[in-house]
Amino acid sequence: FPDDTVIRAKLGKHKPAARAAQPSSPFASSVRIRIKDPQGISYGSGTVINSRPGHTLILTCGHLFRNLAKNSLIEVDLFEGKRSETFVGKVVRYNLESDVGMLSIPTESAIAYSQVARIDTNLTPGERVVSIGCSSGDFPTKQQLRVTALNRYLGPENIECTGVPVQGRSGGGLFNAFGEVIGVCVAADPQDRRGLYAGLNAVQKLLDRTNL
């Protein structure tokens, strides 16, 4: 839908489409991330978790920025139906060990965001969860999943779920039944047909080091 796309690198006279300034649905807060550099274009996903006039924060995965060059361009697409608005993003911080990261974009007004679940939120194997991401750089889609294991892998807290995330879904949010963010998509295990997500502890540590 190229005729409906607006690219915005900084604040200007054109105002973005009106958006809610309170916690909203996971779909409304999910974004597409596009990184352009001399080697080509790579895609990822993310979730708006905090927004105020002039400044919006997006939670995503850390490995998107592993090979980021000085001349790389980060674009973030916000969606409202079939209409998208594109902002130039800036890396706030990221952690490759836990594989979580944060971007900021200069939205003129506060936009829809998703609440991050409390750190003491219970999560159990078998629980139904939802993953939202941009498969192959397409529009965000929802996948209904189940938690299969907690902390199966060494290192920072992690969540294993049914389904195999495809390229472009990295950084997308994992949500509980209340629409709260409980994880971030970081990897796929095609052999066991599972997806791996960074857990709440990794997300909270990133938030603690970010000025919200």
Side-chain angles (χ1 to χ4, degrees):
F1 303 92
D3 293 337
D4 291 329
T5 301
V6 177
I7 297 181
R8 186 173 297 105
K10 57 184 179 180
L11 299 181
K13 293 182 179 180
H14 180 82
K15 293 185 178 180
R19 295 176 183 273
Q22 65 276 339
S24 188
S25 70
F27 253 122
S29 62
S30 295
V31 308
R32 177 173 58 202
I33 298 170
R34 186 169 45 251
I35 299 178
K36 298 179 177 179
D37 57 34
Q39 282 68 50
I41 301 176
S42 57
Y43 291 96
S45 304
T47 307
V48 176
I49 59 167
N50 185 274
S51 184
R52 60 180 185 269
H55 189 68
T56 289
L57 288 176
I58 295 163
L59 177 67
T60 185
C61 63
H63 70 256
L64 288 180
F65 315 124
R66 181 184 288 115
N67 299 315
L68 200 67
K70 290 184 177 180
N71 59 348
S72 295
L73 173 65
I74 302 174
E75 294 180 341
V76 177
D77 295 331
L78 306 182
F79 297 97
E80 188 166 11
K82 294 181 178 179
R83 183 173 184 269
S84 66
E85 295 174 305
T86 302
F87 294 77
V88 173
K90 178 182 178 182
V91 177
V92 176
R93 65 180 69 251
Y94 65 95
N95 185 305
L96 291 178
E97 182 183 9
S98 57
D99 207 354
V100 290
M102 192 84 68
L103 288 172
S104 68
I105 55 174
T107 51
E108 188 169 282
S109 58
I111 64 171
Y113 68 93
S114 285
Q115 191 80 43
V116 175
R118 288 168 50 97
I119 192 66
D120 58 355
T121 298
N122 290 325
L123 188 65
T124 58
E127 184 171 338
R128 293 180 181 273
V129 293
V130 167
S131 168
I132 297 182
C134 301
S135 300
S136 303
D138 208 341
F139 280 72
T141 56
K142 178 171 66 175
Q143 294 180 348
Q144 302 279 358
L145 312 174
R146 284 186 182 273
V147 176
T148 52
L150 299 175
N151 301 318
R152 177 182 177 185
Y153 300 87
L154 296 176
E157 183 185 50
N158 54 84
I159 305 166
E160 184 193 74
C161 295
T162 55
V164 183
V166 300
Q167 187 175 10
R169 297 188 73 90
S170 290
L174 186 69
F175 302 87
N176 62 17
F178 302 102
E180 299 170 325
V181 179
I182 56 171
V184 177
C185 180
V186 296
D189 183 350
Q191 183 173 351
D192 288 344
R193 299 199 60 78
R194 294 290 185 260
L196 183 64
Y197 300 78
L200 268 176
N201 189 53
V203 173
Q204 189 58 56
K205 285 183 178 180
L206 186 73
L207 293 180
D208 289 342
R209 292 191 289 269
T210 303
N211 183 22
L212 296 181

